[in-house]
């Protein structure tokens, strides 16, 4: 869908993006991650053709990115806002017309979306009369109204209460199901794990990690297991295929973190502890995206 | 192009629909006319508003007794009392004046508890000079009747000779028209330039800018905004022009009709024998009193189409040139309070030209300084408007317009390069160095 190749962007003496490449698959939800100032916004602006790269190129469905693609992209910027004095219906029509929709078509679709989000009665309200959350909903409608093939969402959940965040999340998933590719820039790692198929991590103008969420997490597995049981303390001798990394107990409740030796079988842990008491929990410890993110960024620094 | 049109439409409609626009459009001409009417009225009736000034005259050689005529609110009374006694009489009394004319008239003085106004003193001086002069002429043996006839009132009317014949040069009207046009352009460059700047800052602070420029190019937005606001200005001016032509047109026909009527009735009323004399007075009257008719005639002599065309041209391109710079300034800051440091270089040429216009160009419309100021794009919109009513050679007008057009394209190009970077910069304190850097950024 979108192929980003060797992008370099220089602002004066500051290099915002240094040889950044990534592939975004058709129909995927792609997480663009990175700490503040890493270069995410610069990259998004280049995809939106707000600025142009100094070198490198972007292919949209195999075609070099050009002005005709603008109408096929929807963009919800992190720093968002609308004209405060304008009425909301009129304003979204205006934004939609800038994306190439006709007035009638825009009006029809806005009515549909407003109904869906339960905000039909707002049509003649001015933006300044609305709460922050309401403004965000309106802006979300403006972003997706022209049914873009590629939707770029920069921190889409900021400013929403949990209930409305859920509403928006479901709308995003539905858009994706209907064929839209979504680029999702965020710091909220739990939403990354929930939504994203693939991610790219940018730090200090460089891409430092890219891949499918499942694969990345796979490579970060290190044979660590968490075990909870009630019973007596287990004596572990050197012959066992694992070592105890951490041990906590309150009364006869034990909570252990175990490191399985390379090539060892997880079942051997279970069989070892089955004799010691009643096992209530056993799972492989896979690092969260948050941990991977922090770990990767710290490695770089 | 379609997108630029959409932007123009929004910028235009969102401003024209505002109540403040409608109020401004209809109220300003009325306010102006009302203000001038009030000033004219106050000047004309000024004397009536002042208190009556009682001047007691102590004339020690008797030459002026009963000769000084009450004028306006000055009332003369004559007294035979001695100077000292009369002086004691006015102490502590407001609006009581003592005119003391000693035998040596050159030492005349006026005494009062309040300071005597300059207008009052000069009125008395003029009257006294006149009386002394008359007395001397009579003493020299000149007939009073001859004396009376010898008095004259002259108004010079300036005429320009052109191929088509003579025409009234109408210097005063040229002053007025030039000043008015220059003043309007001066004001509107600020008013509409600031509107553009505010619009840019609004888009930046409300953060709508990033949404917009993901759909259109920054230059399209800049162009749309400038043209939209410019059309608002044009709409306002056209309405003002139409309103004032209707109003002055109505006023002038009314005044002209009135004057003609009075002159005619004056002639009709007198017997055939006295008609010649009446004619004379009527003509004399129309010579020194009927300035209003003259002014109206001169106003009608103004080439309206030419003046309106040049005015609109200089307004439009002067506005386009300056508003592009205003927009660049707006893009460089986060709030209106930060614009201060950039405003001086914009306002300086305007204020400089405007002040020079009033003090120099209007008196020397053909001097070389006036020429240069009306050629340089940054000063020409104001300077040229001052010169237009005095007549400007066609080649100068052409050169000035061409340079203004060129200046407009140049500033828009420079401003757009700063603008495209500035609108996306937040929280960065912009300096001139920073602006220069933005200018050289690649697309």
């Amino acid at each position: 869908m979108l192929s980003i190749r060797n992008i370099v962007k220089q602002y004066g003496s500051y290099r915002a993006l240094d040889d950044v490449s990534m592939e975004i698959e058709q129909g995927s939800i792609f997480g663009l991650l990175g700490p503040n100032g890493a270069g995410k916004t610069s990259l998004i602006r280049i995809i939106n053709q707000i600025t142009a790269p100094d070198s490198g190129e972007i292919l949209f469905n195999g075609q070099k990115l050009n002005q005709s693609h603008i109408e096929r992209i929807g963009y919800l910027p992190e720093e968002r806002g609308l004209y405060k004095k304008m009425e909301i219906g009129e304003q979204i029509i205006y934004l939609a017309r800038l994306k190439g929709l006709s007035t009638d078509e825009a009006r029809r679709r806005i009515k549909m979306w407003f109904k869906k989000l339960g905000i039909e009665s707002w049509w003649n309200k001015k933006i300044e009369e609305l709460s922050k959350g309401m403004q965000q909903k309106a802006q979300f409608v403006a972003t997706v109204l022209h049914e873009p093939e590629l939707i770029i969402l920069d921190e889409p959940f900021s400013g929403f209460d949990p209930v409305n965040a859920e509403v928006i999340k479901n709308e995003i998933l539905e858009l994706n199901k209907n064929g839209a590719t979504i680029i999702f820039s965020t710091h909220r790692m739990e939403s990354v794990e929930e939504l994203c198929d693939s991610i790219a991590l940018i730090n200090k103008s460089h891409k430092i990690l890219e891949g499918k969420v499942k694969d990345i997490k796979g490579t970060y597995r290190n044979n660590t297991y968490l075990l909870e049981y009630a019973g007596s303390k287990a004596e572990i001798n050197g012959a066992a295929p694992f070592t105890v990394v951490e041990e906590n107990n309150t009364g006869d409740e034990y909570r252990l973190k175990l490191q399985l030796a390379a090539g060892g079988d997880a079942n051997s842990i279970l069989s070892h502890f089955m004799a010691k008491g009643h096992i209530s929990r056993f799972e492989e410890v896979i690092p969260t995206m948050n941990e991977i993110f922090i770990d990767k960024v710290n490695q770089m620094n | 192009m379609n997108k630029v049109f959409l932007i123009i439409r929004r910028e235009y409609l969102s401003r024209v629909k505002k109540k403040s626009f409608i109020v401004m459009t209809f109220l300003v001409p009325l306010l102006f006319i009302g203000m001038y009417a009030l000033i004219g009225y106050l000047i004309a009736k000024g004397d009536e508003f002042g208190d009556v000034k009682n001047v007691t005259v102590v004339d020690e050689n008797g030459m002026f007794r009963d000769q000084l005529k009450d004028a306006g609110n000055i009332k003369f009374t004559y007294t035979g009392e001695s100077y000292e006694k009369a002086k004691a009489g006015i102490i502590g009394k407001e609006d009581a004046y003592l005119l003391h004319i000693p035998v040596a008239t050159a030492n005349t003085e006026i005494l009062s508890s309040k300071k005597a106004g300059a207008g009052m003193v000069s009125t008395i001086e003029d009257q006294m000079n006149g009386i002394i002069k008359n007395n001397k002429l009579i003493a020299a043996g000149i007939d009073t009747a001859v004396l009376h006839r010898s008095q004259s009132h002259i108004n010079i009317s300036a005429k320009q000779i052109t191929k088509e014949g003579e025409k009234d040069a109408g210097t005063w009207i040229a002053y007025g028209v030039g000043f008015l046009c220059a003043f309007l352009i001066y004001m509107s460059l600020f008013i509409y330039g600031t509107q553009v700047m505010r619009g840019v800052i609004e888009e930046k602070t409300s953060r709508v800018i990033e949404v917009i420029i993901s759909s259109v190019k920054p230059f399209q937005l800049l162009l749309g905004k400038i043209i939209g606001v410019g059309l608002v200005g044009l709409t306002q001016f056209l309405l003002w022009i139409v309103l004032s032509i209707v109003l002055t047109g109505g006023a002038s026909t009314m005044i002209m009709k009135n004057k003609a009527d009075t002159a005619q009735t004056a002639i009709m009323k007198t017997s055939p024998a006295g008609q010649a004399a009446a004619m004379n007075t009527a003509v004399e009257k129309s010579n020194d009193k009927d300035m209003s008719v003259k002014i109206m005639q001169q106003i009608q002599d103004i080439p309206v189409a030419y003046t309106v065309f040049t005015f609109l041209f200089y307004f439009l391109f002067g506005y386009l040139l300056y508003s592009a710079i205003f927009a660049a300034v707006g893009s460089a800051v986060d709030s209106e309070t930060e614009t201060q440091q950039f405003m001086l270089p914009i306002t300086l040429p305007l204020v400089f030209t405007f002040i020079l216009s009033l003090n120099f160009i209007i008196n020397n419309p053909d001097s070389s300084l006036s020429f240069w100021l009306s050629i340089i794009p940054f000063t020409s919109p104001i300077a040229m408007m001052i010169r237009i009513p005095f007549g400007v050679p066609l080649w100068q007008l052409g050169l000035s317009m061409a340079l203004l057009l060129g200046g407009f394209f140049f500033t828009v190009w420079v401003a757009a390069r700063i603008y495209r970077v500035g609108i996306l910069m937040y929280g960065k304190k912009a300096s001139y160095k920073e602006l220069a850097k933005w200018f050289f950024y690649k697309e």
Side-chain angles (χ1 to χ4, degrees), chain B residues 321 324-325 377-378 403-417 439:
Chain B
L321 184 143
I325 308 176
F378 288 91
L403 282 176
L404 185 59
L405 266 171
F408 155 63
F409 286 120
F410 177 73
T411 44
V412 165
W413 177 67
V414 172
R417 288 190 70 94
F439 176 78

Side-chain angles (χ1 to χ4, degrees), chain B residues 10-123:
Chain B
R10 194 202 83 85
E11 298 290 338
Y12 181 78
L13 288 181
S14 70
R15 285 182 173 78
V16 172
K17 277 198 284 189
K18 271 193 203 157
K19 275 197 202 89
S20 58
F21 174 83
I22 297 163
V23 170
M24 275 283 279
T25 304
F26 290 97
L27 211 60
V28 165
L30 288 179
L31 270 179
F32 261 99
I33 289 167
M35 196 176 77
Y36 280 111
L38 186 68
I39 289 172
Y41 180 75
L42 287 179
I43 289 173
K45 303 273 180 165
D47 294 341
E48 286 173 21
F49 288 102
D51 296 321
V52 175
K53 299 184 171 71
N54 292 307
V55 181
T56 310
V57 183
V58 176
D59 180 8
E60 290 182 2
N61 55 27
M63 195 202 292
F64 297 95
R65 175 165 276 272
D66 298 331
Q67 292 288 319
L68 295 164
K69 292 188 190 81
D70 291 352
N73 52 1
I74 307 172
K75 297 249 176 308
F76 294 102
T77 49
Y78 302 89
T79 175
E81 287 174 346
S82 74
Y83 169 54
E84 272 72 23
K85 210 173 159 198
K87 198 159 96 178
I90 65 154
I91 289 173
K93 274 194 214 160
E94 285 195 14
D95 296 322
Y97 298 84
L98 177 63
L99 181 68
H100 176 226
I101 308 172
V103 183
T105 43
N107 296 332
T108 300
E109 50 191 4
I110 191 158
L111 299 115
S112 58
S113 52
K114 272 206 295 193
K115 233 180 187 171
M120 177 183 178
V121 172
S122 75
T123 307

Side-chain angles (χ1 to χ4, degrees), chain B residues 239 245 251 352:
Chain B
L239 284 173
I245 285 178
F352 170 78

Side-chain angles (χ1 to χ4, degrees), chain B residues 364-430:
Chain B
N364 309 281
D366 293 319
S367 68
S368 59
L369 178 63
S370 304
F371 167 75
W372 285 111
L373 285 175
S374 63
I375 292 298
I376 299 167
F378 288 91
T379 58
S380 65
I382 294 174
M384 191 53 105
M385 277 329 288
I386 293 274
R387 292 186 61 204
I388 287 282
F390 294 95
V392 177
L394 213 57
W395 70 268
Q396 289 188 11
L397 193 64
L399 179 63
S400 166
M401 284 179 165
L403 282 176
L404 185 59
L405 266 171
F408 155 63
F409 286 120
F410 177 73
T411 44
V412 165
W413 177 67
V414 172
R417 288 190 70 94
I418 294 171
Y419 175 83
R420 82 208 149 112
V421 182
I423 45 174
L424 292 171
M425 291 281 178
Y426 292 109
K428 205 170 196 178
K429 189 108 179 134

